[in-house]
Amino acid sequence: MERRQFLIGGAAMGCSVAASPFVTPVAMAAAPWDTRLVVIILRGAMDSLDVIQPYGDPALAALRPNLPVGEAGNAFDLNGFYGLNPHFAALKPLYDAGEFGAVQAVSTPYRDKRSHFDGQDILEAGLPDLSGGGLRDGWLNRMLQVVPGIEPEVAYAIGREQMLVLTGDAPSSRWAPDTRLRISPNARALLNVVHHDDPLFRDASADAIAIAEEIALDEAAAAETSDMMADNPMMQAVSTNGQHVKIAEFAATRLRGDTRIASFSLSGWDTHVRQDSAMRTRGKVLSDTILTLKAGLGAAWEKTAVLCLTEFGRTARENGNAGTDHGTGSAMLYAGGALRGGQVIGDWPGLGEGDLYAGRDLLPTRDVRAHAAWVMRGLIGVDKTALEQTIFPGLELGTDSGLVL
């Protein structure tokens, strides 16, 4: 059995690799491009009207009299119409440097039912709806299947949960920040004795030991990343003890090497109650994550695109609990030296009477999949037909978003 087959399938041990006491899938292979793509799923439905506030629309203040917006809420002006929520202040220097931006009034094709589970499934599967049983794989994995020259393990799903966006026939690896694998010399000797007369298990055990040694090297690289970032001035504003920072550090370590795609999620965006307090926490988490990626990637940041996607938006009107409820349109936040930041793009639909979707939500004016697709086309060179028919079935790409430099 080949080591790579053992790593991916784990069939020799009668269980999944992730469940094996000996193996954690970490090894990677090179890809035929030099750019990096990071996809962050913002679970819970991010309120784009709060994060990227359209304070230039006079209807916003009337819809949210008790939520701080615009100048009254100390938002940072971005372009005279949009303002950045002050809890995301650490990202403003990136915006000014052209390394952070947003696309407003976008969504997946999902409409009306507003279920987190269905919305996240559609977002990660990249499908127009839940019909046809297409949830077996995700759009990032399908991209890996159509790009020529891909070798196994080019992508990483980071975190404890199964990421549909990277699930599929193309091999990808997973890692969680609490993963630990140690094989002592005594354990190695025991494995050799137990499996000596069984070539299948003997070779699998040898592979497991080799993987453990690779993990030790990865941990050393991660420690080197932490040391490198400790001297980076931008990390002074980062709370380095959070799990989200560990995840970003690990992603940066891999992406500086052979890894080309990483995906993970940040939860907590379901802001039904005391939204301003929740945004303070979420703003810190997202800012920490993006700044850690930038610091950890070093020179590779200039070749990196970070896309932050959410399942849907929230109601334009505040509710009675100083929060907002499930909505429709939201925003795609993005960062990275490979993208054209310092801007908020998108066809703004307005928040006035008759402008809201179903009389309650921000109206999506473009499919968020189109913006992700244009980034993949510009960053990696993915074929237009593959994007519209295989990676994002039913998508019409439309005009180029112009996000890739």
Side-chain angles (χ1 to χ4, degrees):
M1 171 173 283
E2 297 223 354
R3 176 176 176 281
R4 179 168 288 152
Q5 292 174 332
F6 176 81
L7 179 68
I8 295 169
M13 306 192 77
C15 61
S16 72
V17 170
S20 168
F22 302 123
V23 182
T24 298
V26 294
M28 300 299 300
W33 66 82
D34 195 34
T35 51
R36 281 81 164 165
L37 176 62
V38 181
V39 176
I40 304 176
I41 305 297
L42 305 180
R43 299 195 187 280
M46 179 190 72
D47 185 5
S48 70
L49 299 181
D50 201 347
V51 179
I52 306 295
Q53 300 175 3
Y55 72 90
D57 190 318
L60 179 64
L63 290 166
R64 300 184 167 196
N66 298 305
L67 290 178
V69 297
E71 185 176 348
N74 299 313
F76 295 93
D77 177 62
L78 297 179
N79 59 9
F81 184 85
Y82 292 106
L84 180 66
N85 186 300
H87 300 317
F88 296 74
L91 296 176
K92 181 60 162 56
L94 288 187
Y95 182 90
D96 295 338
E99 297 177 355
F100 174 73
V103 184
Q104 265 285 21
V106 294
S107 76
T108 69
Y110 184 56
R111 293 293 183 274
D112 301 327
K113 294 182 180 180
R114 303 180 180 89
S115 159
H116 288 302
F117 299 105
D118 290 349
Q120 289 174 20
D121 280 348
I122 287 177
L123 171 64
E124 295 192 56
L127 301 175
D129 53 51
L130 293 173
S131 64
L135 289 179
R136 60 177 296 274
D137 56 11
W139 57 270
L140 273 180
N141 197 279
R142 291 196 296 274
M143 187 270 285
L144 295 176
Q145 296 175 47
V146 301
V147 175
I150 287 288
E151 294 184 36
E153 304 158 30
V154 70
Y156 248 96
I158 304 171
R160 294 186 181 89
E161 80 277 16
Q162 182 70 29
M163 297 280 292
L164 175 60
V165 71
L166 263 174
T167 297
D169 292 338
S172 62
S173 297
R174 295 182 63 207
W175 175 86
D178 54 2
T179 295
R180 292 292 182 270
L181 180 59
R182 296 286 187 273
I183 298 181
S184 68
N186 287 339
R188 296 186 189 196
L190 177 61
L191 286 172
N192 287 334
V193 170
V194 171
H195 295 155
H196 181 271
D197 295 326
D198 189 324
L200 181 62
F201 281 92
R202 181 187 63 219
D203 294 344
S205 296
D207 287 336
I209 292 171
I211 294 167
E213 291 172 346
E214 285 193 18
I215 289 175
L217 292 175
D218 288 337
E219 290 179 345
E224 180 183 346
T225 298
S226 297
D227 292 340
M228 178 185 72
M229 292 192 301
D231 297 327
N232 193 310
M234 78 175 65
M235 293 299 291
Q236 294 176 2
V238 173
S239 301
T240 56
N241 60 346
Q243 185 184 79
H244 59 286
V245 174
K246 295 178 183 177
I247 287 173
E249 284 182 355
F250 179 82
T253 300
R254 302 304 307 186
L255 290 162
R256 283 206 321 273
D258 290 337
T259 303
R260 291 298 176 264
I261 294 174
S263 183
F264 54 91
S265 63
L266 299 174
S267 60
W269 298 88
D270 197 12
T271 51
H272 291 283
V273 179
R274 298 179 60 195
Q275 180 160 304
D276 186 56
S277 176
M279 282 294 176
R280 177 179 288 105
T281 304
R282 292 308 94 201
K284 180 62 174 168
V285 167
L286 184 60
S287 299
D288 284 353
T289 299
I290 292 176
L291 291 177
T292 300
L293 285 171
K294 177 177 168 64
L297 280 163
W301 175 256
E302 298 303 317
K303 303 174 183 178
T304 298
V306 181
L307 304 183
C308 304
L309 309 172
T310 194
E311 63 261 37
F312 45 74
R314 309 197 70 82
T315 52
R317 294 180 180 85
E318 65 182 49
N319 60 27
N321 296 313
T324 53
D325 298 319
H326 297 178
T328 306
S330 187
M332 180 182 82
L333 308 180
Y334 64 89
L339 299 181
R340 184 175 286 105
Q343 60 177 351
V344 180
I345 67 171
D347 298 322
W348 182 246
L351 298 173
E353 191 72 27
D355 294 329
L356 299 176
Y357 177 79
R360 67 195 295 277
D361 303 336
L362 175 65
L363 175 70
T365 55
R366 194 169 185 186
D367 192 328
V368 70
R369 299 180 303 164
H371 294 290
W374 278 113
V375 169
M376 294 162 71
R377 181 159 174 75
L379 197 70
I380 301 169
V382 183
D383 179 72
K384 180 177 182 291
T385 301
L387 286 165
E388 292 184 324
Q389 297 181 10
T390 303
I391 300 172
F392 297 114
L395 173 67
E396 293 184 9
L397 267 177
T399 57
D400 189 347
S401 308
L403 295 181
V404 179
L405 291 171

